[in-house]
Amino acid sequence: MEIFLIRLLQFLLAISLLVLLHEGGHFFFSKLFGVRVEKFYLFFDVTVGKWTGKLFHFKPKTSDTEYGVGWLPLGGYCKIAGMIDESFDTEQMKQPEQPWEFRSKPAWQRLLIMIGGVLVNFLLALFIYSMILFHWGDTYVPLSQMSQGMEFNQEAKALGFQDGDVLLRTDRGELKKFGADMFRQLSEAKTVTVVRQGKEVELSLPGDLNLLDMLKTEPIFARIMMPAVVDSVLPDMPAAQIGLQRGDSLLAIGDKNISSFGQLTDELARLGDVLAAATTVQDSSAIRCVRLVYARGGQPDTLEVELTEDLKLGFVPKQIYEPVTHEYGFFESFPAGIKYGWHVLASYVDDLKYVFTADGAKSLGGFGAIGSLFPSTWDWHRFWEMTAFLSIILAFMNILPIPALDGGHVLFLVYEMITRRKPSEKFMIRAEYVGFGIVILLMVVANLNDILRWLGYM
């Protein structure tokens, strides 16, 4: 429960910040061009019966804008006078056009008002990435320095990889650090160079590996080769209860000999599949009781251990590599942050092609999936990384040419600027309904996926 609340608070803080600044972008340009903003809300104040849905609201005496917080935390909105938006305020549109309304302004001003939110979110992401690099730097273990190399699954070995290969580069450039970028580069590469037994070896790759398959298969396409050696044990966990100590090497679990931490996690995952099929408490308990062989000071020993209900042993493996940190000065951090943010956006857009596959559709996630990306403990570094990433996603998704999103309004404004004709109000209202329906459908599918994963059906 504590982990859930920590993630929920981080998620709500990040979303609140992003929504406020996004709507603030629309608000800024509206005020700049003399357009009246009737309401500025964080979250939606959906009316329920006689309740207006407003948790908090106020309207300054000298202002035309009502500010408030709604009860439904699905975003927020900025109600701009004289504009057909998600409020579907058609009565206002029947009145004579006023000089302080959105519809009375030149197309270029209306265009800036509509892209204001996206612009703020994109610039915010670049700024956050810059400040992350300035404050924390970029810390990682270079792949070329991972002397024990990688462990590969059967699909990777079929392509010529061998356990212990040290990844150096592909025909697309240097392989810098372990992570999504490494897998993406391997998926698109035609050749990859590795160090094998002290010599460089070049392997041929197809150039079109499926990135989703590489990441979702168990075991994963490639993982860091780590020894199954205890660095520390967690209190009140099975490892502590049986007396494991720092420096102990795990040699076998159950009937499976292991030589790496990855093999240990594979065997625990296999036990998880067996446990899922158990029908009685006795069967579950029997599965969780396993034989553990370990060595201390070169002397092997055997113990019986009962794993936790989620099959955890409860120890931290020994880290054999020292990370390096590339530090950035204040002014140096901005071009580096811009470059990194642009790379994140380009990678996200490139990966969208997988959404249109069956596995890609299943990988869609809603609020639960997004919230789970935040750390289980409060970590400001990770929090700001996630906030910047969500800001880029929010900017990109909002600029898509879907009615009801900013991009849909931009599309119609570009049409107007080219043809010198405004789309009819009737057409705009219908388009808004269609776009709103598409957005709701996507939200339902994404959040339904979250529920199915939670229930264990995906």
Side-chain angles (χ1 to χ4, degrees), residues 143 146 149-151 178 222-226 262 321:
L143 285 171
M146 294 183 180
M150 295 281 166
E151 274 185 299
F178 185 84
R223 61 190 174 197
I224 301 170
M225 179 80 80
M226 296 288 292
Y321 303 116

Side-chain angles (χ1 to χ4, degrees), residues 380-448:
W380 283 111
H381 185 189
R382 183 62 180 159
F383 169 81
W384 287 117
E385 282 184 332
M386 279 304 306
T387 302
F389 179 61
L390 291 177
S391 192
I392 279 185
I393 292 178
L394 185 61
F396 177 76
M397 297 302 291
N398 262 284
I399 205 62
L400 292 177
I402 299 174
L405 297 180
D406 296 343
H409 293 282
V410 169
L411 177 66
F412 296 136
L413 280 167
V414 170
Y415 166 82
E416 178 186 339
M417 294 171 75
I418 293 173
T419 64
R420 305 289 181 178
R421 291 186 302 170
K422 282 186 178 182
S424 69
E425 290 182 4
K426 186 176 182 180
F427 170 81
M428 292 293 290
I429 291 171
R430 288 179 175 176
E432 195 76 14
Y433 275 114
V434 170
F436 196 72
I438 292 173
V439 172
I440 293 297
L441 178 62
L442 288 173
M443 289 180 64
V444 169
V445 170
N447 286 284
L448 180 60

Side-chain angles (χ1 to χ4, degrees), residues 92-293:
Q92 184 184 67
M93 304 303 293
K94 295 176 182 179
Q95 306 302 317
E97 190 175 290
Q98 301 297 325
W100 37 261
E101 288 186 326
F102 176 83
R103 55 181 168 169
S104 70
K105 301 299 178 180
W108 68 271
Q109 291 186 5
R110 285 181 277 134
L111 181 63
L112 286 175
I113 291 171
M114 292 317 307
I115 66 173
V118 168
L119 181 63
V120 167
N121 279 132
F122 185 61
L123 293 178
L124 174 66
L126 300 183
F127 177 75
I128 292 176
Y129 281 131
S130 299
M131 291 300 96
I132 288 174
L133 293 175
F134 171 64
H135 189 272
W136 285 286
D138 188 12
T139 300
Y140 62 97
V141 176
L143 285 171
S144 61
Q145 294 183 19
M146 294 183 180
S147 56
Q148 300 296 312
M150 295 281 166
E151 274 185 299
F152 298 92
N153 66 12
Q154 292 304 313
E155 288 76 10
K157 289 177 179 177
L159 295 170
F161 289 101
Q162 294 182 13
D163 288 342
D165 284 351
V166 179
L167 297 174
L168 292 183
R169 58 186 172 273
T170 71
D171 55 303
R172 303 179 67 84
E174 177 190 5
L175 289 164
K176 186 178 178 183
K177 56 185 174 181
F178 185 84
D181 286 340
M182 181 199 81
F183 289 103
R184 187 177 294 106
Q185 192 171 334
L186 287 173
S187 73
E188 299 171 349
K190 294 293 183 67
T191 63
V192 58
T193 302
V194 303
V195 174
R196 180 179 297 167
Q197 298 177 350
K199 296 181 180 180
E200 289 193 7
V201 177
E202 185 175 272
L203 306 175
S204 296
L205 295 178
D208 60 351
L209 293 173
N210 187 293
L211 181 60
L212 277 182
D213 288 342
M214 294 173 73
L215 293 172
K216 78 185 185 90
T217 52
E218 295 182 3
I220 197 170
F221 185 87
R223 61 190 174 197
I224 301 170
M225 179 80 80
M226 296 288 292
V229 177
V230 177
D231 182 72
S232 61
V233 296
L234 304 178
D236 302 321
M237 293 290 282
Q241 293 165 2
I242 63 174
L244 283 185
Q245 299 176 11
R246 181 173 185 174
D248 289 349
S249 299
L250 304 188
L251 305 178
I253 183 167
D255 297 326
K256 176 71 174 180
N257 292 330
I258 56 175
S259 59
S260 70
F261 183 72
Q263 291 179 2
L264 172 63
T265 59
D266 289 346
E267 182 60 16
L268 292 176
R270 187 193 68 79
L271 287 175
D273 293 337
V274 177
L275 184 63
T279 56
T280 67
V281 174
Q282 291 78 9
D283 289 342
S284 297
S285 180
I287 292 167
R288 290 192 289 113
C289 291
V290 298
R291 181 180 67 95
L292 186 70
V293 182

